[in-house]
Amino acid sequence: MPTPTRAALVDHLVRTRIAGHVATPRENNLDHYRKLANGDRHYWLGLELDDRWSDEQDVLAVMAERCGVIDDPLHRQGQDTIDPELTVDALERMAGRLRKAASAKERVLFATGHPGGLLDVHRATAAALRAAGCEIVVIPDGLTADEGFLFQFADVAVLERGATLWHTHSPEPMNAVLDGLLRAERPLPDLVVADHGWAGRAGQRGIDAVGYADCNDPALFIGEAEGTLQVTVPLDDHVTSPRFYDPMTAYLLDAAGLPQA
């Protein structure tokens, strides 16, 4: 995959609706912002927000600043947006953290709660870091969470139920992995690259964490605003083809100075 220029990547993100006018409707975004503000922990994605974000207008303000949703509180239905420039800005911040990991030969754990969209993004990043000398953390055998099993496919930890990779927002799979590593007296990761509750809980437990989040998942953006997560990249996390993410991944790895495997 040739590496796009920044301008070409912005155009690609808009054309494929990874950013720009995304498929997630405004009504869904506002509903999730309200539920987070009302204390529904499902929408906290593994973070401990207490009562710091009990006003949904404060949540909207963070999402407008960090994700690029429409900042007008009177816009209640219809189209919503992700700013592609903010997506690329965040990719460049993530690249800086990956460059640090490669330089220090860190232990890195990859995980996804959105395997239908982001599994290959994580796989390619893991392969590039391994080629640079990093240790890609292998999770212990026999771990379970949320009535499913935890496995790794192409170096990426996932939740599996009934021979199906599961879409999950839950932080419990990350708890199970980190607790399993501690029981086995193995070192915890230096860095977690993930999404959903996998990323939020890693950051909450004090591990450097970077991740991806959609415009209806405000918690990880709040986590970055508070410093619990180091980077949150705004994007639609399940577009019509996972191949649409390939130019984005190529840009990320090139910005980090990592080879494409």
Side-chain angles (χ1 to χ4, degrees):
M1 169 62 63
T3 302
T5 64
R6 180 181 176 113
L9 179 59
V10 166
D11 178 71
H12 172 80
L13 295 173
V14 172
R15 188 173 62 255
T16 58
R17 301 185 73 185
I18 294 172
H21 289 86
V22 293
T24 309
R26 180 67 165 194
E27 298 92 322
N28 184 261
N29 283 346
L30 295 181
D31 178 62
H32 287 200
Y33 303 169
R34 185 179 311 111
K35 287 175 177 175
L36 180 148
N38 289 340
D40 187 332
R41 295 176 70 87
H42 175 77
Y43 295 92
W44 290 8
L45 301 183
L47 297 171
E48 296 298 334
L49 302 180
D50 300 321
D51 60 355
R52 298 190 299 277
W53 297 90
S54 58
D55 186 337
E56 65 182 277
Q57 297 307 316
D58 291 339
V59 179
L60 175 60
V62 167
M63 293 303 293
E65 176 187 11
R66 293 180 176 269
C67 184
V69 302
I70 296 168
D71 61 1
D72 182 1
L74 299 180
H75 178 57
R76 310 299 299 177
Q77 59 185 1
Q79 186 67 59
D80 214 337
T81 56
I82 293 174
D83 185 339
E85 298 287 351
L86 293 179
T87 302
V88 181
D89 287 347
L91 287 169
E92 291 174 352
R93 295 197 303 276
M94 182 183 283
R97 185 60 186 86
L98 296 179
R99 191 181 308 112
K100 176 183 175 183
S103 177
K105 305 295 190 288
E106 290 183 339
R107 295 180 303 277
V108 187
L109 173 65
F110 287 84
T112 185
H114 227 305
L118 298 178
L119 180 63
D120 205 49
V121 175
H122 292 305
R123 177 209 58 79
T125 310
L129 283 178
R130 173 179 277 113
C134 288
E135 174 189 344
I136 305 305
V137 174
V138 176
I139 69 173
D141 290 333
L143 298 180
T144 62
D146 297 330
E147 302 180 343
F149 296 93
L150 303 183
F151 295 114
Q152 279 173 301
F153 290 91
D155 291 324
V156 185
V158 293
L159 176 67
E160 184 264 359
R161 292 183 190 166
T164 300
L165 304 188
W166 208 255
H167 173 221
T168 178
H169 287 208
S170 173
E172 293 310 317
M174 181 56 76
N175 276 334
V177 169
L178 298 180
D179 291 344
L181 290 170
L182 291 172
R183 284 194 304 272
E185 299 183 340
R186 291 170 51 193
L188 294 179
D190 300 305
L191 174 66
V192 167
V193 183
D195 48 70
H196 285 181
W198 289 97
R201 182 50 53 91
Q204 187 63 49
R205 289 184 60 161
I207 298 170
D208 282 6
V210 298
Y212 302 91
D214 209 328
C215 55
N216 63 353
D217 290 328
L220 297 191
F221 297 98
I222 288 173
E224 184 181 9
E226 292 193 328
T228 311
L229 271 78
Q230 296 200 337
V231 181
T232 300
V233 178
L235 47 66
D236 187 316
D237 54 16
H238 198 147
V239 292
T240 55
S241 171
R243 294 277 68 81
F244 289 163
Y245 297 108
D246 288 352
M248 181 193 81
T249 306
Y251 186 91
L252 171 69
L253 298 182
D254 182 73
L258 295 171
Q260 292 188 57

